[in-house]
Amino acid sequence: MRSSELLVDAFGRIDTIVLGVLDGLDADAMNWRPSGTGNSIGWLVWHLCRIQDEQIADAAGTESVWRVGEYAERFGLELSPADTGYGHSAHQVDAVRFASTVLLENYHDAVLARSLEFAGALEDSDLDRVVDTRWDPPVTLGVRLVSIIDDCAQHGGQASYVRGLSEALPKRSQDRLPLL
């Protein structure tokens, strides 16, 4: 197996997580925040797409799907178009809300297509290229791609967990016995 095949498989697994989390969600479930301050499913999926998009674009030396596809305008979020969600406060997380999954799914699909195209064209020797000298040791493309996949898998898992919490709450509240 070539490294590019492994990377394509890994990005495909992120796709499976995201589509599974978003399947059948309504706006309330998508925007629900655990304890009122946690990250919503919508925010988590938006953030993982934004991070993947910007980092793949940087590694590929291209513009992000967010910019080329005019997604900042299409989403109409009250955030800077350069915002990826990194370091968001509770107030900023609140600004990332969705009426449905459609636009987010479209953006995810476009980011996935770009990631698969980029990863699928890589040769093993490409993975040794240094892409970030701000770290010691400098970050290679291979390390950056593993980091992107890891970050997306973690956020996808968090979104899956939030979905499980949101689906369990009504049942749990009905099953609770009154306190004496």
Side-chain angles (χ1 to χ4, degrees):
M1 173 179 268
R2 294 180 38 233
S3 299
S4 61
E5 295 169 322
L6 183 64
L7 292 166
V8 165
D9 181 74
F11 281 113
R13 290 170 189 246
I14 303 302
D15 179 50
T16 301
I17 294 168
V18 168
L19 295 180
V21 168
L22 295 179
D23 184 45
L25 276 187
D26 62 18
D28 287 340
M30 202 159 148
N31 297 306
W32 178 75
R33 298 179 65 194
S35 299
T37 59
N39 295 329
S40 68
I41 293 169
W43 184 90
L44 286 161
V45 172
W46 170 82
H47 172 64
L48 80 79
C49 291
R50 290 291 295 123
I51 293 298
Q52 182 178 339
D53 185 14
E54 292 299 330
Q55 291 193 32
I56 292 292
D58 183 59
T62 62
E63 286 291 325
S64 66
V65 170
W66 186 255
R67 289 180 181 88
V68 172
E70 299 179 349
Y71 280 96
E73 294 82 11
R74 293 165 65 186
F75 274 83
L77 301 174
E78 296 178 14
L79 301 169
S80 162
D83 201 328
T84 63
Y86 183 77
H88 265 190
S89 67
H91 176 72
Q92 289 168 308
V93 171
D94 256 348
V96 180
R97 300 183 62 77
F98 304 96
S100 78
T101 61
V102 174
L103 185 57
L104 190 54
E105 288 172 340
N106 290 342
Y107 178 51
H108 165 71
D109 290 346
V111 170
L112 175 66
R114 171 74 63 86
S115 299
L116 294 176
E117 177 185 1
F118 177 69
L122 293 173
E123 298 295 329
D124 289 350
S125 60
D126 295 330
L127 301 177
D128 293 327
R129 176 173 57 94
V130 172
V131 296
D132 193 343
T133 58
R134 296 174 295 173
W135 300 90
D136 185 21
V139 177
T140 62
L141 178 59
V143 169
R144 177 60 44 87
L145 292 171
V146 168
S147 176
I148 294 167
I149 291 164
D150 178 57
D151 193 49
C152 290
Q154 288 188 49
H155 289 309
Q158 291 165 353
S160 295
Y161 181 74
V162 172
R163 180 164 180 163
L165 285 176
S166 71
E167 290 173 349
L169 280 178
K171 181 180 177 194
R172 285 184 49 197
S173 64
Q174 290 171 354
D175 293 345
R176 265 189 231 157
L177 296 173
L179 297 175
L180 300 175

